[in-house]
């Protein structure tokens, strides 16, 4: 896949012209974040300084049981019920050893009570928090997030990001690590065909490569 190559080139180009580069790594930390650390950053010799997880009250209401057609309407109980989803992404991000910041995208109709509930949950998890209001305030609406990220980096200092597994581990061990640590599977069962394919890949000298895992429906 050429996308990791483009991500590396784009990030290096950005770092040549600015102090910090911001990369959008995909939807959900499991889908984009894990792959960015384990494939893109490792393969491109990059070390992310921090993780910013973007959330919204609309998404939290949906995770809290609200029907998609109703997610634009305030619902404090649904937001509170949806918060474990956000915290799970935060837990996943912490596997990689860099500080995490939660940013909440603001939308018209969001209530102060809902925002306060998210802020309380995030601060209880001891990570930075900021509200993004770019739709209404333009660039000024993103300044608060930039400042929280800079403050977080100053507080935690420089450090090397971790990966979820090493290249020396067998392919099956890498699969098991992703499945159990990120997706919370209790175990991994391979068909005979899949086990044979992994053995063929390792025999061909590909066992050192990372695993790009896609979720099934």
């Amino acid at each position: 896949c050429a996308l990791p190559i483009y991500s590396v080139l784009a990030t290096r180009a950005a770092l040549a012209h600015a102090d910090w580069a911001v990369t959008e790594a995909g939807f959900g930390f499991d889908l984009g974040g894990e792959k960015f650390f384990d494939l893109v950053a490792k393969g491109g010799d990059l070390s992310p300084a921090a993780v910013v997880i973007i959330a919204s009250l609309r998404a939290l209401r949906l995770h809290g049981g609200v029907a998609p057609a109703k997610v634009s309407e305030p619902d404090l109980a649904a937001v509170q019920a949806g918060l474990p989803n956000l915290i799970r992404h935060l837990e996943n991000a912490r596997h990689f050893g860099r500080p995490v910041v939660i940013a909440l995208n603001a939308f018209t109709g969001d209530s102060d009570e809902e925002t306060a509930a998210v802020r309380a949950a995030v601060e209880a998890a001891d990570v930075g928090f900021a509200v993004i209001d770019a739709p209404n305030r333009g660039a000024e609406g993103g300044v608060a997030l930039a400042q929280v990220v800079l403050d977080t980096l100053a507080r935690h200092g420089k450090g090397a990001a971790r990966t979820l597994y090493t290249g020396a581990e067998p392919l099956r061990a890498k699969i098991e690590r992703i499945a159990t640590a990120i997706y919370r599977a209790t175990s991994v069962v391979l068909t005979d065909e899949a086990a044979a394919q992994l053995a063929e890949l390792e025999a061909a000298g590909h066992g050192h490569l990372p695993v790009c895992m896609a979720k099934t429906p």
Side-chain angles (χ1 to χ4, degrees):
C1 176
L3 287 178
I5 297 175
Y6 294 145
S7 296
V8 170
L9 292 176
T11 302
R12 286 180 175 169
L15 288 171
H17 296 282
D19 295 329
W20 301 99
V22 179
T23 300
E24 181 185 9
F27 295 95
F29 194 87
D30 52 335
L31 180 62
E34 181 270 321
K35 293 172 180 60
F36 189 83
F37 275 93
D38 286 333
L39 280 75
V40 179
K42 182 175 176 59
D45 196 26
L46 300 170
S47 184
V51 175
V52 178
I53 297 176
I54 309 296
S56 72
L57 293 175
R58 293 182 177 190
L60 291 170
R61 293 172 196 140
L62 182 67
H63 290 302
V66 170
K70 299 287 187 179
V71 295
S72 61
E73 301 173 10
D75 191 327
L76 178 59
V79 168
Q80 291 171 328
L83 279 170
N85 181 281
L86 176 59
I87 299 304
R88 178 57 57 87
H89 286 293
L90 167 59
E91 293 170 351
N92 284 346
R94 280 177 160 160
H95 282 297
F96 298 89
R98 298 312 299 143
V100 183
V101 170
I102 304 294
L104 188 68
N105 265 336
F107 288 89
T108 301
D110 291 350
S111 73
D112 292 341
E113 292 79 10
E114 291 172 305
T115 301
V118 178
R119 181 185 297 273
V122 170
E123 291 180 349
D126 195 29
V127 296
F129 176 80
V131 175
I132 305 173
D133 193 18
N136 294 316
R137 299 174 56 210
E140 285 296 320
V143 171
L145 172 59
Q147 189 60 58
V148 169
V149 172
L150 290 175
D151 291 345
T152 298
L153 291 170
R155 187 167 61 255
H156 288 270
K158 294 182 179 180
R162 296 194 297 260
T163 54
L164 204 59
Y165 49 79
T166 68
E169 296 175 70
L171 291 174
R172 175 165 185 155
K174 295 172 186 174
I175 291 171
E176 290 174 341
R177 177 66 173 151
I178 298 171
T180 56
I182 301 298
Y183 295 104
R184 304 310 199 274
T186 54
S187 63
V188 173
V189 178
L190 298 176
T191 63
D192 292 342
E193 180 182 7
Q197 289 176 337
L198 291 180
E200 290 176 3
L201 288 170
E202 290 180 337
H206 303 309
H208 66 288
L209 294 174
V211 172
C212 185
M213 184 176 293
K215 292 184 289 187
T216 59

